[in-house]
Amino acid sequence: MARASVGTAWQGDRITRYGLVVDCTVGVDLDYYNVGDDSVVGDTMRTIIFGQTTLRYPLIRQGHGATHVVEPFVQLAWSDVQGGTVTNEDSTATEFDQANLLALSRFSGEDAVETGLRGATGLSWTRIGTAGWDSTMTVGWVFRETPNLNFSLKSGLRDTASDWLIAGQLRAPSGFAIDGRLLVNASFDVTKSEARLGWNSRKLDLAASYIFLPADTFESRPSDVREWTIDTTYRFDEIWSMGLDARYDLGGNAPTSTGLQIGWQNECVTVDFSVSRRFTSSTTLTPSTDFGLSVGLNGFSAGRTNTAASPSCTG
């Protein structure tokens, strides 16, 4: 399968004399899917027409030692698809969070597209402290004219009214951080949740995460997932480092996996050795131990920052 896409869009924004922030987007996308070696699905071409407008009203207050920003917002969006039907292969698992609360499409890929009239509304609060204490919180929900059956029942996005999204972060100057997200339905039941605690220093990084996901056959998850994850990295110096990670299944009351990583680097080369153990078993998976070795040349960018002491690599 091969896909080629081309699109154009116009976007404009304006701040009114009363402080209301208005932004609008209209556009059109054209997708062509070329499918081979398939007797059921053939080539497909479709056109997507879309438009959206978002209204924000930021309220700023300068307090003692901090600046507070409270911003109510509302979005209205519409889109329509003309052409053939596309098999959904890259958007079967979708997470509803603050990053896509105001997105034109909340699917994770390109195959599935949100259509029809819909919108979102909510409130965000941000605190920026002069002493380094920063925090944010977002509360919002999505509404649509008709249900979207491409979302799973447990995604929180399928019905005409979505689950409530509650997300927040806290950052401390000492390197401590908390991140959390909840989805709450109309009956005030928590349908999904995740939380992360972290602490970073010059030599040590510590992180612990908890996640709860309900059973969802649409996303190939036959049972609830409740897991703790622990990840730590210790840097002995600018050359040697070691990391440990582990996952524990609270539902099965058993460890899921654990791993050890040892790293070595200088100004020219980065070497990472890892060993991991998976304890879970099923009809398709058996407990296993994996070993890994990777070597990277620091002279070629691989998206990492080299913190070795030597300033350059010379032959």
Side-chain angles (χ1 to χ4, degrees):
M1 189 274 288
R3 176 176 60 86
S5 301
V6 62
T8 182
W10 174 88
Q11 182 176 9
D13 57 79
R14 180 186 177 189
I15 302 177
T16 69
R17 59 181 297 184
Y18 302 104
L20 183 67
V21 181
V22 183
D23 73 75
C24 301
T25 304
V26 293
V28 58
D29 290 333
L30 179 64
D31 297 329
Y32 174 71
Y33 285 76
N34 176 254
V35 181
D37 197 22
D38 194 317
S39 59
V40 178
V41 179
D43 295 356
T44 303
M45 180 175 289
R46 69 179 181 183
T47 303
I48 306 169
I49 305 170
F50 58 88
Q52 71 87 28
T53 182
T54 303
L55 307 178
R56 306 171 183 266
Y57 194 62
L59 305 171
I60 302 175
R61 177 181 179 270
Q62 183 70 48
H64 179 68
T67 299
H68 299 265
V69 181
V70 176
E71 185 179 67
F73 55 83
V74 61
Q75 178 207 51
L76 287 177
W78 174 88
S79 58
D80 188 41
V81 176
Q82 302 290 333
T85 301
V86 173
T87 303
N88 181 17
E89 294 183 341
D90 64 0
S91 302
T92 57
T94 299
E95 288 299 322
F96 180 30
D97 56 29
Q98 61 270 41
N100 60 19
L101 175 59
L102 296 177
L104 190 64
S105 178
R106 296 168 186 88
F107 288 105
S108 55
E110 303 292 335
D111 292 344
V113 179
E114 287 193 65
T115 58
L117 183 64
R118 58 198 182 275
T121 185
L123 181 74
S124 67
W125 166 74
T126 303
R127 179 190 182 275
I128 304 173
T130 57
W133 287 86
D134 301 330
S135 56
T136 63
M137 177 166 285
T138 302
V139 179
W141 66 296
V142 175
F143 53 91
R144 62 182 76 249
E145 187 177 26
T146 57
N148 193 320
L149 302 183
N150 286 321
F151 289 112
S152 72
L153 284 171
K154 300 300 178 66
S155 67
L157 290 166
R158 187 170 189 170
D159 297 331
T160 54
S162 75
D163 291 349
W164 282 92
L165 167 68
I166 305 172
Q169 300 84 33
L170 172 66
R171 301 286 186 271
S174 61
F176 179 75
I178 304 176
D179 293 87
R181 176 176 65 104
L182 296 174
L183 293 185
V184 182
N185 62 20
S187 302
F188 300 101
D189 297 323
V190 176
T191 56
K192 287 185 179 182
S193 65
E194 63 176 341
R196 182 182 184 277
L197 301 176
W199 180 73
N200 299 324
S201 67
R202 187 176 64 86
K203 283 185 171 292
L204 181 64
D205 297 339
L206 294 173
S209 303
Y210 169 80
I211 187 170
F212 163 68
L213 297 174
D216 192 343
T217 55
F218 191 88
E219 297 183 358
S220 302
R221 192 168 54 249
S223 58
D224 293 351
V225 173
R226 292 182 175 88
E227 282 189 349
W228 274 104
T229 302
I230 298 175
D231 191 357
T232 178
T233 301
Y234 183 79
R235 291 172 289 275
F236 296 95
D237 50 35
E238 294 176 334
I239 297 178
W240 288 97
S241 64
M242 183 177 69
L244 295 170
D245 62 81
R247 296 172 61 188
Y248 189 86
D249 182 7
L250 295 175
N253 196 26
T256 303
S257 64
T258 185
L260 168 68
Q261 303 86 36
I262 299 176
W264 179 91
Q265 72 169 6
N266 62 14
E267 67 276 14
C268 300
V269 180
T270 297
V271 181
D272 291 310
F273 171 77
S274 63
V275 56
S276 60
R277 173 69 177 173
R278 186 179 65 230
F279 300 97
T280 56
S281 61
S282 65
T283 56
T284 58
L285 296 175
T286 58
S288 62
T289 302
D290 298 320
F291 298 89
L293 177 66
S294 65
V295 179
L297 301 178
N298 293 329
F300 298 89
S301 176
R304 71 174 73 202
T305 300
N306 180 21
T307 57
S310 301
S312 62
C313 178
T314 58

